[in-house]
Amino acid sequence: MNALQKISDFFMTPAMKLIMIVAALLFPFVAGNEYQIYVMALAFVWAIAVYGMNIITGLCGQLNLAHGGFFAIGAYTLAILTVDHGWPFWWAFVAAGVSGALLGFLAGVVSLRLKEHYFAIFTLCVGFIIYLLIDKWEELTHGALGIINIPAPSGFGLVDFTETTPFYYLALVFMVLSIWLAARIANSLLGRSFRAIRISDELAASLGINLMRNKVLAFVLSTTYASVAGALYAGMVRFIGPAEADVVHTFDMITFLLVGGIGTLMGPLFGTLAITWLTQSLQFLEEYRMIVFGPLLVVLVIFFPRGVVGTFLTWRGRRLAAVQETAKKESASEKKPQPNKAVTPRNQEAGNHA
Amino acid sequence: MSNGKNTLVKRFCRLACASAIALAASGVQAAETVTIGFTGPLSGGAALYGQNTLEGLQMAAREINNKGGFKVGDETYEINLVSLDDKYAPSQAAVNGKRLVQQYNAPVIFTPHSGGTFALQAFNQRDDFLVMSYTSVPTVTEKGNELTVRIPPTFTGYMKPFTKIAMAENGKKVAIANATHDYAKYWTKAFVPTWEAMGGTVVADNPMDYNKSADFYTGVSKVLAEKPDVLFIGGASEPTALVAKQARQLGFKGGFVIMDQAKMGEMSKIIGGYKMLEGSVGVVPLTMYEEQGAKDFVAKYHKQNDGKDPTTEVAYNYFAMHTVIQAMKEAGTVADSKAIRAAMGDALKNLAEEHNPYGVTEIDAKGGMMADPNIATVKKGGTVELQRISEVLGE
Amino acid sequence: MQQVLNGLTLGSIYGLVALGLTLVYGILHVPNFAHGALYMVGAYVSYVIMVDFGANYWLAMLGAAGAVALLAVLCERLVFNPLRHAPPIHDKIAAIGIMLFLEALVQMHWGAEFRRMPTPYTGIVEFAGLTMPAQRILIIVGAFSLMAVLHLFLKKTMTGSTIVAMAQNREGAFLVGIDANRVAMMTFAISGVLAAVGATLFAPINLVYPAMGHLLIMKAFVIIILGGMGSIPGAIVGGLIIGFAEAFGGFYISTDYKDIIAFALLVVILSIKPTGLFTKGVR
Amino acid sequence: MLKINNLTKRFGGLAAVNNVSIEFEANKINAIIGPNGAGKSTFFNLVAGAMAPTEGSIEYQGMDITGMACDRIARLGIARTFQTTSLFDESTVLDNLIVGHRLRTQSRLWDVIINSKRLRDEEKKCRSRAQEVLDFVGLSHIGHRITADISQEEKKRVAFALALATDPELVLLDEPAGGINPEETENLASLIRKMVEHGVTVCLIEHKMDMIMSLADKIMVLDHGEKIAEGTPEQIRNNPVVIEAYLGSDDDAAA
């Protein structure tokens, strides 16, 4: 038990973050071939979108089924501006983020007036409308033909992002930034407001939290994440079609989120990487993948609703509480100042991600 | 299609075999094998299509391996066909492409969709592999990618003969009621100008989603309201047959121009013969071809598959695999994708007739295969008449 | 006029599917995203019974209804019942899980190809200048008679009225001593029957394939939001509204944009009236 | 402190609260009793802003707050607890309370992104306020526990603490003693008294009559949405109309 405790302590230390970043930096050198780097980079791009979903669904508790649609909006904004209007990549990239935010704001203002099931169903329809528009509005989106020859991110003559390894680092930078911001939000008063809404609208409102303003903010943040991820995706794959807006992507992201741990900080990354590599290694099972993942989703929500990371954090929280209790008893009997000051802030951090 | 009696057990066996082969291949890269890659939809909505294309490749590979492989220089090689599923998603095709090149050293990758082709083209010249694209979308070879071969001839060859026949049989007013997916859109884009250039008019334009639509009556009755002589339809064979049937039920008396994706032979199975297709022009399955190569291939396929008819996908991909191997022989290398591409022209000339059911003779500079396929006209009373495109236009 | 009949055909099927959905929602407050998958399974079961066992159309419909009802009850027992007290997000995700699973299962067994379901009613009825294939008349008549039967069941039988009671007031019904488990199972079974019959009626004029339930389920959701979630007349009226909107919209605007009509309608209506058209009181 | 004039709320044709007028004084414990379905919870919802009244007005410290949004009312100093206490089961007790003081802070998204001094100060302020209220309700010893693991009574106290973290002047307690044993009820009652001693006005709904009678300064009795009596516990106990209402209704409210 003690060894477990030590290991789990170690997971929460800043050193662990450093190790993870170093591991990510070294990955291309360790990877057997470019294919693995490519898969990893693509997983990072998806992870960014999943972090967005985590803000609205994990923190704020609103199941947004249009998330894949906003991913596609980012991808299409970038593709249309670069291919049809000759914008430089990074300008179009910024525009993709902005359009995700703006359209997210519009969709949010309308859809967030609805609660729970209504919201989920409504966003499902919003996602479908996005898909239909992309598929049918040929003048703007090229319709079913998709958009080809999307430029790779411009490296300003210094780096060539059409190469896999440089793109990997680019995706890594964006993902680390995304996680960093997500952590900031989750641990701040803002994140606490979102979580209060997740517990219950009534409770949050009675605590003086403006529901609409906070929900819309969370929604806009999430759609911005999604569209930034979508823009990166377009710059990576360099061909997009209406299928990017398919609701299947949203379901995939939900799976990533649930496996990793909904509402936790490292859950989205863990879930995305785990499932991505699992599917890659079980490639020959592709056809049967959903036969495994469907029931997996059901089992997860029934038995492990908090996913791998969430279950770990709860377990750890309990352990720490127990440790503190025994320490208190000991200090009471020995009349000594209790030695576990250092434990408290850690513990709080664990809880914060919940 | 519906005679695919794939039981669960059978599928699992096939799967187990495939994965065993894949595993074996990933383990040791034996000196005498050459890996040919495939990425296409093996699950999801387009799975059947993907599996059909793969089947053609497998059939050819099996044939070659059973004869002890093929000789390039002094070395004898066996084909190791590695297939990966991409669910029709371009990004997944790109991932698979990377994998096939990096992990399996495949010099050639087959893909049966334009989206996958575009995604692979983002890096195929740098990573040095040949994309064998089974799609008749012209754009895949028009962008100047030097390592792409488009396996079927472009559909644009059908425009003039179809238009000519349809006008002669029915009249000059056409209504568009085909499907809405990418391929159908490409078709419409090419068809409309041709029709108009030859003096026809488009009286209604109302494509429908053949796969998701709940009902074609609304759409069909809408275009029929404009009293067209000809109805331009087409998507997968099954829904196309339904569209034709519903148009007849709604009183349409003219003929159909049927996009080449739908095969009249398969449509006739659904709507009970060719009677409903009177006055129509389209393409027919290989089984109806008179050429020797086609007959040989069909006979061979029937023997191997309990009399089941081969699909176009099977036939073209079977041909393509043989062509690639022939090109490797001509080029004297199994690794240099540029040399293999360069040898394609010679390979086509020297390809055995039985390996070339469609009689493809040439490849153009951009990598597009050229053929003179048969087109079919349904005459009064439901008889089908076959003509080569050159014959139709030569009249 | 042709469009009225088209609208009626579409509307009656939409209504039938939406009815099952709205009943389940009314009783359990679960938006069953897997309902479209149940519809799809219903079509496959009918197909198998007819094509592989050579049975009669009506027998196939009966068989499908039974099988899907059983499947629906299983879903309730194994998935939704354990999740009764979970946060609302969980049952939705579980429903999505069921949907993915059923689709993958069907696809594994039958493949993704389109199949055509045979029907004994292939004739065409000509009436006052209107062309109506017999199957379409069968759809309209069949759907509406099933709705009538359901109505009688809910109004005249004991079990039916407990379902209505529970839909109207869950806590109240519970206090009065209604066996909530039994009612929940019953409701799922009915929704399964409705889905299977709808599928068997509709499939002959369409195709059978694993993803056939997708669009339908989304439209069904639009319908029950419009009609008020849990409201039975709302589902029927909503189904007809969407059916007619699509038939006329498809005819006068564009078939290409036909599918968007339902969703655009929803967005407009909910932007103006967030509680739906026919909802009464507070949500 | 709180002045209610002719308050009415109708759902469809049914009046859940009908023409109720009453005044609650500051620094007192005010109780609302009545049989099930008498409109007590609706009354609370109206005061807290969760619903807008059909008719009538609500005046709080001389300000008209009728129909004002819930969160604004909370910022004006009215806090509430709910019948069922919903909390973050997965985080620690202390962690649950920090958000309670959020309404007294100004930080926005931008502060979060740049981690501004304002944000850091406010977070410190919220944390210390959480610690304070936890001490106040006597739970500082379990602040580090996972909320799912604490007892029902402790949860009730945490809910009080959460309401107090908003710095309220008026606290609405909806059945605070529901589902806990008599001894715990007594402890909770003393906590309520302690709140009043510290300058908070309390208004509560409760079914436990003993507790109300010993605790309340003023009682209002609702029946079928209408006020049928108001007064001191003594007055209420002897009011024939009230007795009639309780005997006449066949529920267990008088337990």
Side-chain angles (χ1 to χ4, degrees), chain A residues 4 6 20 42 44 145 167 189 213 224 244 260 274-275 288 341:
Chain A
L4 261 180
K6 274 192 186 127
M20 281 171 68
L42 200 59
F44 285 170
L145 312 183
F167 193 94
L189 286 172
R213 192 186 295 160
T224 311
E244 316 314 341
I275 300 283
Y288 312 96
K341 249 189 180 154

Side-chain angles (χ1 to χ4, degrees), chain A residues 180 184 188-189 192-193 195 198-199 205-210 306 318 321 324-325 328 347-348 352, chain D residues 71 74-75 80 86 88 90 94-95 98-99 102-103 112-113 115 123 126-127 141 144-145 149:
Chain A
W180 172 81
R184 267 276 161 83
S188 72
L189 286 172
R192 288 175 192 280
S193 307
R195 282 202 295 272
R198 183 176 108 197
I199 307 183
S206 80
L207 293 175
I209 292 166
N210 185 317
R306 309 201 56 230
R318 289 226 161 93
Q324 234 171 331
E325 223 112 292
K328 233 175 234 170
N347 175 24
Q348 276 150 1
N352 282 352
Chain D
D71 54 299
R75 259 171 271 146
R80 71 183 295 199
S86 37
F88 255 122
E90 305 103 33
L94 184 70
D95 210 46
I98 294 171
V99 72
R102 166 68 172 143
L103 75 174
V112 174
I113 293 172
N115 197 18
E123 278 179 353
C126 289
R127 190 174 285 274
H141 61 288
H144 58 279
R145 283 241 213 119
D149 301 343

Side-chain angles (χ1 to χ4, degrees), chain A residues 62-146:
Chain A
Q62 316 293 313
L63 181 58
N64 174 17
L65 294 177
H67 206 66
F70 286 99
F71 183 89
I73 285 176
Y76 265 92
T77 309
L78 184 111
I80 292 167
L81 289 178
T82 51
V83 174
D84 292 347
H85 300 278
W87 284 36
F89 182 91
W90 290 109
W91 284 110
F93 184 80
V94 172
V98 171
S99 78
L102 279 179
L103 291 171
F105 178 76
L106 289 179
V109 166
V110 176
S111 57
L112 286 162
R113 294 164 69 193
L114 308 166
K115 285 179 184 162
E116 294 179 2
H117 303 315
Y118 283 80
F119 176 78
I121 295 167
F122 188 82
T123 49
L124 184 71
C125 294
V126 169
F128 198 69
I129 291 174
I130 294 174
Y131 169 78
L132 284 176
L133 282 177
I134 288 175
D135 195 44
K136 310 284 183 207
W137 193 355
E138 282 168 36
E139 295 78 16
L140 183 70
T141 65
H142 303 215
L145 312 183

